[in-house]
Amino acid sequence: MNNKIKLTIGGINYYVTSDEPQEAMEQLGKEVNDKIAEISSSNMNLSTTMSAVLAALDFADERNQAKAENESLKEAIEKTNSESAAARLEVEEARREIERLSRENRQLRLGNKF
């Protein structure tokens, strides 16, 4: 379901069509508008376009950092999963050894009763 949503960014109205909920798109528009306003207020010589480009660069940088962190977390999860699988194998081997030793212990005890 496509929603047609009006966003005001940098004093200009934009009409976007999205499958995302209206509230989510409005929040994105607000974040972009706020970032442009923040950049514009720090340097009054910047045009809205220049502020928008700098905002886009900032958002792209944040996205790249998030992607790198995501990859790092994926690698950590894969390592943890591998270590967990190895630990499960060790536990299973220990259980089999305990069972073998218990059988051997029973046999020895039965042998000593004679």
Side-chain angles (χ1 to χ4, degrees):
M1 174 174 130
N2 285 336
N3 298 317
K4 188 172 183 179
I5 303 158
K6 175 186 167 187
L7 303 175
T8 303
I9 300 173
I12 299 171
N13 291 330
Y14 294 91
Y15 295 89
V16 296
T17 303
S18 176
D19 290 334
E20 296 297 318
Q22 180 171 341
E23 295 79 21
M25 292 302 297
E26 288 173 347
Q27 180 60 36
L28 288 175
K30 181 181 180 329
E31 288 177 29
V32 171
N33 188 61
D34 290 349
K35 179 61 78 174
I36 292 170
E38 175 188 327
I39 292 169
S40 292
S41 69
S42 69
N43 187 340
M44 299 306 232
N45 295 323
L46 295 176
S47 69
T48 301
T49 302
M50 294 167 85
S51 296
V53 169
L54 292 174
L57 287 171
D58 193 43
F59 286 129
D61 182 49
E62 288 176 11
R63 184 203 57 167
N64 287 343
Q65 289 177 16
K67 284 172 69 175
E69 184 177 346
N70 186 38
E71 284 302 313
S72 177
L73 290 172
K74 281 182 182 179
E75 289 172 8
I77 288 169
E78 287 175 10
K79 181 180 178 189
T80 301
N81 286 342
S82 294
E83 291 171 352
S84 177
R88 282 193 298 272
L89 286 174
E90 288 179 19
V91 166
E92 186 56 37
E93 288 175 14
R95 281 189 193 138
R96 284 193 297 268
E97 181 66 8
I98 289 169
E99 289 173 7
R100 185 189 70 74
L101 291 171
S102 292
R103 283 192 304 271
E104 185 178 317
N105 190 15
R106 279 193 300 274
Q107 289 172 349
L108 288 171
R109 285 184 184 183
L110 289 174
N112 286 337
K113 289 187 178 180
F114 291 106

